[in-house]
Amino acid sequence: MVDPPRPIPGPIAVPLDAEPEPTDRDLAPARFVDSDAPAVLAFAERACGGAAAAERATPVARAVAVFDAVRDGVRYDPTRITTDPDAYRASRVAAASSHWCVPKAVLLTAAARAAGIPARLGFSDVRNHPGVRNNPGVRNNPGVRDHPGATPLREQPGEQELFFWHGWVALWLDGRWVRATPAFDAEQCARAGVDPVPFDGRADALVHTREGTGEHLPSHERDRGTFHDLPLDDVVATFRERYGETVFTG
């Protein structure tokens, strides 16, 4: 077991290979990953089929249950990108009917911790992201026309630009870190012509497969590392620089 990290003023990137085993912070509540909030505890308990079932279930089974609850229980909606910090708290996301990839990753991290599973937020810059809704601030930017507000990706095969800070989660299961993204629900994936990302708790679940072709997307171009809590200031600063103010809805 590695020594716990020194106190820091805010979230910083921690490569998984720099902390190969979880620390206390991977189970602890944080500002955005408020895993001790009643709404998050209730979300995790419901996902696992109740308190008694959760106690009987293995960590892998609990991880799969909370992943499925976040992926399909909170629809993907890129029009929810906002600068309001409260909107990114897991306890707020748990009550939402829809949200985009970053807050959904925050909720999965918090729900996993509430279920006793060490978890961290992870981020990548990706190409060919299967966005399926309209967000003019993204769609009209030549650097990100295909994410997250683009029309279904299968209708625009030439668009291969970057989307920054795509959210995923690293979960400590069976003695190793397993990565998964809960961003796109099954309904949105059907509209975009891609298969939902399956998660069995044993293999990474980061990419979709295009229906009928077996093509994998998105491609992860830059790993920004993992975080014990959401680095919201960094995310907002990058979006503001790359996409402009029109990407934000509030």
Side-chain angles (χ1 to χ4, degrees):
M1 176 74 73
V2 299
D3 293 331
R6 296 188 300 274
I8 55 177
I12 62 171
V14 180
L16 288 181
D17 56 3
E19 283 187 0
E21 296 185 22
T23 71
D24 291 343
R25 297 179 69 191
D26 296 312
L27 279 170
R31 178 188 178 191
F32 296 103
V33 185
D34 53 348
S35 52
D36 59 345
V40 175
L41 293 169
F43 183 94
E45 184 175 309
R46 286 195 304 272
C48 294
E55 289 181 3
R56 292 193 301 269
T58 65
V60 167
R62 295 197 300 272
V64 171
V66 294
F67 173 88
D68 289 345
V70 175
R71 190 194 70 181
D72 293 332
V74 182
R75 292 181 296 104
Y76 176 74
D77 184 357
T79 67
R80 299 291 300 274
I81 300 174
T82 177
T83 59
D84 177 13
D86 283 343
Y88 293 89
R89 294 183 188 274
S91 52
R92 285 277 298 273
V93 183
S97 61
S98 63
H99 235 310
W100 62 293
C101 64
V102 168
K104 290 187 70 171
V106 171
L107 176 57
L108 177 55
T109 304
R113 291 182 188 177
I117 301 164
R120 297 178 189 166
L121 284 163
F123 298 95
S124 299
D125 296 343
V126 301
R127 292 187 187 275
N128 211 21
H129 198 298
V132 294
R133 298 286 293 275
N134 286 330
N135 182 322
V138 174
R139 187 187 67 243
N140 297 333
N141 185 297
V144 287
R145 281 187 295 258
D146 63 334
H147 179 93
T151 53
L153 194 60
R154 58 194 170 95
E155 297 179 4
Q156 46 179 359
E159 302 296 343
Q160 300 283 330
E161 304 302 334
L162 279 173
F163 177 73
F164 302 90
W165 291 98
H166 171 58
W168 45 273
V169 180
L171 304 111
W172 183 257
L173 297 167
D174 288 343
R176 64 190 184 93
W177 292 107
V178 182
R179 301 173 298 167
T181 178
F184 292 92
D185 59 278
E187 179 182 347
Q188 295 284 18
C189 287
R191 292 177 183 174
V194 297
D195 296 326
V197 174
F199 181 59
D200 63 5
R202 294 178 172 83
D204 287 347
L206 293 176
V207 297
H208 297 262
T209 302
R210 194 192 300 274
E211 292 177 355
T213 69
E215 177 189 357
H216 295 295
L217 60 148
S219 64
H220 289 243
E221 300 293 315
R222 175 189 177 189
D223 183 356
R224 289 183 177 266
T226 59
F227 296 76
H228 298 293
D229 200 13
L230 174 64
L232 181 60
D233 290 346
D234 294 336
V235 175
V236 168
T238 301
F239 276 37
R240 185 167 277 134
E241 174 188 358
R242 297 288 185 165
Y243 309 150
E245 291 296 329
T246 55
V247 75
F248 302 115
T249 59

